[in-house]
């Protein structure tokens, strides 16, 4: 496996006008989350806020139980007591993530420091909203009192594409029956907390941003192996969702013209070669099955069926990787999702590339790397979604909200 080298973290800057108070809080909270325990003076220098502004924000965040005093600096200098330092309070808040796949529901609970507190994989037979929305509501109410701090929100991820016209069928890699339903509004009404709904690939990308190998990067892609295959895009530290929430839908790009028929109505889609569904088809042809609980046992070297699929998947994924590099110029492309780490590494080893803008001698991170979250990637990403919305600096949004709250015209 290749791992990214250390890269300097680009810190969001604060703004001293009072109208940017919410943004400034997010900047300080995000900096403490990424840098660890830090003193007031360092926070002021890194955020370019005044010492008094930082002091006020620290007091607010302590009152909200989001940060705690971490003691005094160990290497104090000069006379008097060394200054206090502050850090994230893991017990101050938590988030719940739910991934809905074709055959299973995966649940995670993550605290404010990004620690995984709970995980569960439950097979599902009824995949429609009438059965699953009440089940998710009951699940959250059961988990809520079992963890300290306040519930910051719920993240729900589902396989895309969402609300697409012109497809001849939803196929075996998507969930039927959810079109036209405002899932976030339904769950917000049931639970009374913020709810973020996202496709699985974008959720995986957010998870890598907050809790994985993307922590120190602002521009990267995640190729996500779910039942199908999708792409999560992070630009300037934020997910790129597109106008209708379907940015990164690479599974239905034709990579083999005239190739295998796809339920979308085309032939030769990437999903027909490089996805868990394609692997299951290979195994079924050999008289074998692959239950979700057996994914971790896949052997990329000793199993000839798996090895043949890996070769085929890498051959069809390679041109897509080159396209992503040349079109998006990311810092790296992360392979992540429902495959065991040995299989992801095997695909990376088998990729071949043509010329691209990513072939630079001065790059810090390899062109393609493996994600860190393993088989729980999308569910951890789901839990990261409401955290990302709550603490990631978003100056233009906070300014708009404060302008509206004052009754002015933005």
């Amino acid at each position: 496996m290749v791992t990214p080298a250390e890269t300097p973290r680009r810190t969001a800057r604060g703004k001293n006008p009072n109208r940017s108070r919410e943004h400034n809080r997010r900047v300080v909270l995000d900096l403490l989350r990424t840098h660890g325990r830090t003193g007031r003076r360092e926070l002021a220098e890194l955020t370019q806020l005044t010492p008094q502004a930082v002091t006020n924000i620290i007091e607010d965040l302590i009152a909200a139980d989001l940060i705690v005093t971490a003691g005094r600096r160990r290497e104090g200098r000069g006379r008097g007591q060394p200054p206090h330092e502050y850090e994230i309070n893991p017990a101050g808040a938590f988030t719940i993530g739910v991934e809905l796949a074709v055959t299973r529901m995966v649940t995670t609970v993550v605290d404010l420091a990004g620690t995984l507190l709970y995980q569960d994989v439950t097979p599902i037979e009824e995949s429609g909203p009438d059965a699953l929305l009440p089940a998710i509501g009951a699940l959250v109410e059961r988990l809520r009192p079992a963890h300290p701090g306040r519930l910051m929100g719920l993240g729900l991820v589902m396989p895309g594409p969402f609300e697409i016209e012109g497809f001849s069928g939803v196929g075996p890699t998507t969930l039927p029956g959810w079109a036209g339903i405002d899932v976030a509004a339904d769950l917000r009404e049931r639970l009374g907390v913020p709810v973020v709904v996202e496709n699985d690939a974008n959720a995986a990308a957010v998870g890598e941003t907050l809790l994985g190998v993307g922590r120190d990067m602002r521009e990267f892609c995640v190729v996500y192996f779910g039942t199908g295959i999708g792409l999560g895009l992070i630009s300037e530290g934020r997910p790129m969702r597109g106008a209708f929430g379907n940015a990164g839908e690479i599974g239905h790009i034709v990579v083999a013209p005239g190739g295998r028929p796809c339920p979308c109505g085309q032939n030769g889609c990437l999903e027909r070669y490089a996805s868990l569904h394609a692997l299951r088809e290979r195994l079924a042809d050999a008289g074998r099955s692959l239950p979700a609980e057996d994914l971790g046992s896949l052997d990329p070297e000793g199993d000839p069926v798996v090895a043949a699929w890996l070769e085929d998947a890498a051959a069809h994924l390679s041109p897509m990787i080159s396209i992503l590099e040349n079109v998006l110029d990311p810092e790296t492309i992360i392979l992540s999702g429902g495959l065991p780490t040995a299989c992801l590494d095997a695909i990376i080893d088998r990729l071949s590339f043509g010329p691209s803008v990513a072939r630079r001698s001065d790059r810090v991170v390899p062109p393609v790397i493996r994600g860190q979250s393993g088989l729980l990637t999308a569910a951890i990403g789901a839990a990261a979604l409401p955290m990302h919305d709550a603490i990631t600096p978003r100056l233009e949004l906070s300014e708009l909200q404060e302008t509206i709250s004052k009754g002015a015209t933005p």
Side-chain angles (χ1 to χ4, degrees):
M1 172 193 173
V2 286
T3 55
E6 288 285 332
T7 56
R9 168 81 179 183
R10 279 175 279 183
T11 303
R13 300 293 189 234
K15 290 193 68 172
N16 280 307
N18 290 332
R19 64 191 178 94
S20 302
R21 184 178 182 86
E22 177 60 28
H23 170 75
N24 293 342
R25 281 168 51 97
R26 287 170 178 256
V27 168
V28 172
L29 193 60
D30 186 57
L31 192 148
L32 287 170
R33 184 188 60 80
T34 55
H35 285 250
R37 53 187 292 167
T38 311
R40 294 177 194 244
R41 178 180 297 178
E42 289 77 14
L43 286 170
E45 292 173 353
L46 288 167
T47 61
Q48 296 183 359
L49 292 168
T50 65
Q52 185 58 53
V54 169
T55 296
N56 293 339
I57 290 168
I58 287 174
E59 291 175 355
D60 287 348
L61 294 175
I62 289 176
D65 286 332
L66 298 180
I67 69 173
V68 293
T69 303
R72 296 186 182 275
R73 180 177 297 166
R74 298 181 183 91
E75 67 280 8
R77 298 176 182 175
R79 298 179 180 179
Q81 291 282 354
H84 283 291
E85 292 185 318
Y86 305 90
E87 63 186 3
I88 290 289
N89 176 20
F94 67 95
T95 57
I96 297 174
V98 175
E99 177 199 6
L100 294 182
V102 177
T103 60
R104 70 186 189 280
M105 180 168 70
V106 184
T107 307
T108 58
V109 178
V110 173
D111 70 18
L112 197 58
T115 302
L116 181 65
L117 302 177
Y118 172 88
Q119 64 185 72
D120 178 70
V121 180
T122 302
I124 58 176
E125 297 181 1
E126 294 286 336
S127 61
D130 290 343
L132 288 183
L133 287 174
I136 293 170
L139 172 71
V140 172
E141 292 304 334
R142 177 172 61 84
L143 292 174
R144 205 172 195 166
H147 297 90
R150 66 181 178 88
L151 175 59
M152 186 175 282
L154 169 74
L156 175 67
V157 304
M158 306 166 67
F162 298 145
E163 304 284 355
I164 296 297
E165 298 177 359
F167 278 53
S168 62
V170 293
T173 62
T174 57
L175 292 172
W178 292 80
I181 296 176
D182 191 337
V183 177
D186 182 289
L187 290 172
R188 277 196 299 268
E189 185 175 350
R190 293 175 188 267
L191 303 172
V193 298
V195 176
V196 184
V197 178
E198 187 59 271
N199 69 55
D200 47 11
N202 271 346
V206 171
E208 293 292 350
T209 298
L210 288 184
L211 311 173
V213 295
R215 283 188 295 263
D216 294 320
M217 291 183 279
R218 303 282 289 174
E219 306 277 347
F220 65 89
C221 304
V222 173
V223 174
Y224 179 75
F225 292 87
T227 305
I229 186 168
L231 177 73
L233 303 170
I234 296 293
S235 180
E236 285 299 312
R238 303 179 193 171
M240 183 187 301
R241 295 184 169 96
F244 304 102
N246 290 307
E249 187 53 51
I250 61 172
H252 294 288
I253 293 177
V254 174
V255 294
R260 299 171 189 165
C262 181
C264 77
Q266 303 183 108
N267 290 77
C269 291
L270 178 63
E271 189 173 277
R272 300 295 291 115
Y273 302 91
S275 67
L276 276 172
H277 180 68
L279 173 57
R280 286 191 169 97
E281 286 186 324
R282 287 281 190 106
L283 292 168
D285 290 342
R288 298 162 56 188
S289 63
L290 180 61
E293 59 269 21
D294 292 341
L295 284 173
S297 65
L298 290 173
D299 183 357
E301 305 300 336
D303 189 323
V305 176
V306 175
W309 173 77
L310 288 169
E311 291 286 348
D312 201 27
H316 289 89
L317 187 59
S318 291
M320 183 60 63
I321 295 289
S322 293
I323 290 171
L324 295 174
E325 287 183 333
N326 282 295
V327 172
L328 299 172
D329 192 21
E331 294 174 66
T332 191
I333 295 173
I334 300 169
L335 299 194
S336 183
L339 289 172
T341 56
C343 287
L344 292 173
D345 289 341
I347 290 177
I348 293 173
D349 291 341
R350 288 164 171 77
L351 292 172
S352 60
F353 311 108
S356 87
V357 296
R359 304 280 90 81
R360 301 185 304 273
S361 60
D362 63 341
R363 68 175 304 137
V364 176
V365 185
V368 183
I369 63 176
R370 169 167 46 89
Q372 286 187 341
S373 302
L375 301 177
L376 296 171
T377 298
I380 291 176
L385 287 167
M387 188 187 305
H388 184 273
D389 277 10
I391 71 174
T392 300
R394 299 172 67 188
L395 179 59
E396 78 292 343
L397 179 59
S398 63
E399 288 183 339
L400 176 62
Q401 289 173 334
E402 291 186 21
T403 300
I404 292 173
S405 69
K406 293 176 181 178
T409 301

